[in-house]
Amino acid sequence: MSKLFRIRKNEEGQSLVEFALIIPIFLLLLFGLIQFAVILNAQITVTAAAREGARIAVLGVSETEIKTRVKDSASTGILLNEITNDDISISTPEGTGKGKPISVEVNATVQIIVPFLNGILGGGGDFPLYSKAVMSLE
């Protein structure tokens, strides 16, 4: 009976084994949460940049000025890859008149900072983002 009691009482490595089983799951959740926060921040930045472009587009400025404003607005994004003129499309209505919609679309990519999430999020090291803002001409 005393031998059984000694074997049962000797559980020194149990917590180490439990820790080794739980830590990969915990780290996956932690890094996934961090990556999600980076992507969400970049999406909010791209949406704000598209909205800023549409806001000045309704004032009748040139396409060059609109694209410059969109790029300047998106330059504040964390880990957001640089937006080029090809990533921005502006659709203007036929003719001019109050109330006609004008839209600004922005395509961008954000860097995936957690390497093992690369395959889960589409591979290639970058995650695509898209935003479209529509406003009426004044």
Side-chain angles (χ1 to χ4, degrees):
M1 184 78 160
S2 64
K3 186 176 182 181
L4 181 63
F5 184 70
R6 271 186 281 136
I7 291 174
R8 190 164 186 246
K9 191 161 175 120
N10 189 8
E11 298 176 352
E12 294 171 1
Q14 178 183 354
S15 60
L16 183 62
V17 170
E18 289 173 354
F19 179 74
L21 291 173
I22 296 299
I23 195 68
I25 297 168
F26 175 74
L27 289 177
L28 181 67
L29 289 173
L30 178 67
F31 288 131
L33 184 65
I34 291 169
Q35 184 65 61
F36 176 76
V38 168
I39 291 172
L40 183 63
N41 181 309
Q43 179 63 47
I44 291 169
T45 302
V46 169
T47 301
R51 192 176 299 127
E52 183 67 23
R55 186 176 296 125
I56 68 160
V58 298
L59 300 177
V61 299
S62 69
E63 279 195 24
T64 306
E65 291 179 66
I66 296 169
K67 290 181 179 186
T68 302
R69 180 70 71 93
V70 169
K71 289 190 286 189
D72 289 346
S73 180
S75 66
T76 61
I78 299 171
L79 297 174
L80 188 64
N81 294 333
E82 185 177 350
I83 295 175
T84 63
N85 285 339
D86 296 335
D87 296 328
I88 305 166
S89 65
I90 303 161
S91 65
T92 55
E94 295 294 323
T96 57
K98 254 185 165 177
K100 292 194 177 186
I102 186 166
S103 68
V104 176
E105 297 179 37
V106 179
N107 291 303
T109 56
V110 65
Q111 298 172 10
I112 296 177
I113 58 173
V114 183
F116 59 84
L117 290 178
N118 219 0
I120 297 170
L121 296 176
D126 292 330
F127 187 78
L129 302 172
Y130 169 80
S131 185
K132 178 179 181 178
V134 179
M135 292 194 180
S136 300
L137 288 172
E138 294 182 354

